[in-house]
Amino acid sequence: MSVQALSNTQDSNPQNSDIMNSAGSNAGTIKNDFMTLMLASIQNQDPTSPIDSNEFVTQMAQISQVESLEHMRANQAMSMIMMENLGIVQSAQLIGKSAMVPASEFTLGEETIEGKVYLESAAQELEIEIKDDNGEVVDTIVLGPQESGDIAFSINPEELGLPAGDYEISAKVTSGEETTTADTFIKAPIEKVHFVSASGVMMAELGNGLGTISVLEISEVS
């Protein structure tokens, strides 16, 4: 189990310094170039038609604004790096715990898999259909009448006589003469977390065949 992140989040101090130096260098270069041009203009001005000093004052004010914007940009970049590092530290605490996430497919081994169904309203009958990788129903867990909210269930391979393999579940909700489906969630261990710098999203790699998902999709951790 490990935490992975791109190199730009593993040692923030050198990069923070580079960002500030770059901002100062860019703004300083602009100001130096302007001063050079201004001095050259003064030295070569026509004595009979001197350069308007107000124009230089206005341009100097604009240069100062550019310099301020450069430093603001650098500060924002530093803040983003700090947020990334904080996110990595916080997400590292998830490793080894179990996450309940939206899922309808999973890989079954010898251990019992826990899950839940979310019902928006009460149901007269709730059933969990389990299908194999060929799409055939191999078992049905009857949960009976249920109130709205989260309804827990478990899939015990020994009790149900299910061999190891890939499966799919579907929650069938009966209310009156209407049968619909409900959202299902499955619990799985968090094996690894890593940060995707391009999208700014922390991802979690889960067991039980659930693959990699955004940590934002985790509904609960235990």
Side-chain angles (χ1 to χ4, degrees):
M1 298 182 182
S2 63
V3 181
Q4 295 180 340
L6 297 183
S7 59
N8 68 334
T9 61
Q10 297 192 6
D11 186 359
S12 60
N13 289 335
Q15 186 166 14
N16 290 350
S17 178
D18 290 343
I19 290 173
M20 292 303 296
N21 289 339
S22 175
S25 177
N26 291 341
T29 298
I30 294 172
K31 180 179 288 186
N32 290 337
D33 289 345
F34 174 77
M35 293 299 295
T36 299
L37 290 173
M38 183 182 72
L39 290 174
S41 298
I42 293 175
Q43 292 173 352
N44 295 282
Q45 67 180 324
D46 184 355
T48 62
S49 180
I51 297 174
D52 185 0
S53 60
N54 290 331
E55 182 178 351
F56 282 121
V57 172
T58 300
Q59 292 179 352
M60 280 296 295
Q62 293 174 344
I63 292 297
S64 296
Q65 291 178 349
V66 171
E67 188 175 14
S68 297
L69 290 173
E70 284 289 329
H71 284 292
M72 288 178 60
R73 180 188 63 80
N75 288 333
Q76 289 176 345
M78 288 176 60
S79 297
M80 288 299 297
I81 291 175
M82 293 176 63
M83 291 178 62
E84 290 176 7
N85 289 339
L86 179 60
I88 291 172
V89 172
Q90 292 176 335
S91 296
Q93 300 174 7
L94 297 175
I95 297 176
K97 296 184 178 181
S98 294
M100 187 76 75
V101 299
S104 59
E105 298 179 352
F106 62 95
T107 299
L108 187 64
E110 297 180 354
E111 301 294 328
T112 297
I113 288 182
E114 298 179 0
K116 70 178 182 181
V117 178
Y118 175 71
L119 296 180
E120 294 184 353
S121 57
Q124 293 177 342
E125 187 69 34
L126 175 61
E127 298 179 343
I128 307 295
E129 285 188 350
I130 305 175
K131 300 179 181 180
D132 60 18
D133 55 2
N134 294 319
E136 297 182 1
V137 178
V138 293
D139 212 309
T140 300
I141 302 174
V142 179
L143 298 176
Q146 298 290 340
E147 296 296 327
S148 61
D150 292 333
I151 312 300
F153 67 88
S154 61
I155 301 175
N156 187 317
E158 184 176 355
E159 290 182 359
L160 300 179
L162 299 176
D166 296 330
Y167 292 88
E168 180 181 349
I169 58 172
S170 178
K172 303 294 184 180
V173 182
T174 300
S175 298
E177 298 181 355
E178 183 180 9
T179 298
T180 58
T181 59
D183 294 333
T184 55
F185 299 75
I186 293 176
K187 181 182 291 187
I190 301 173
E191 299 177 343
K192 183 187 297 183
V193 294
H194 65 272
F195 185 81
V196 181
S197 183
S199 60
V201 176
M202 191 70 64
M203 307 297 291
E205 296 182 22
L206 306 178
N208 294 342
L210 299 189
T212 302
I213 67 166
S214 166
V215 295
L216 300 177
E217 295 185 52
I218 297 176
S219 64
E220 61 182 73
V221 177
S222 60

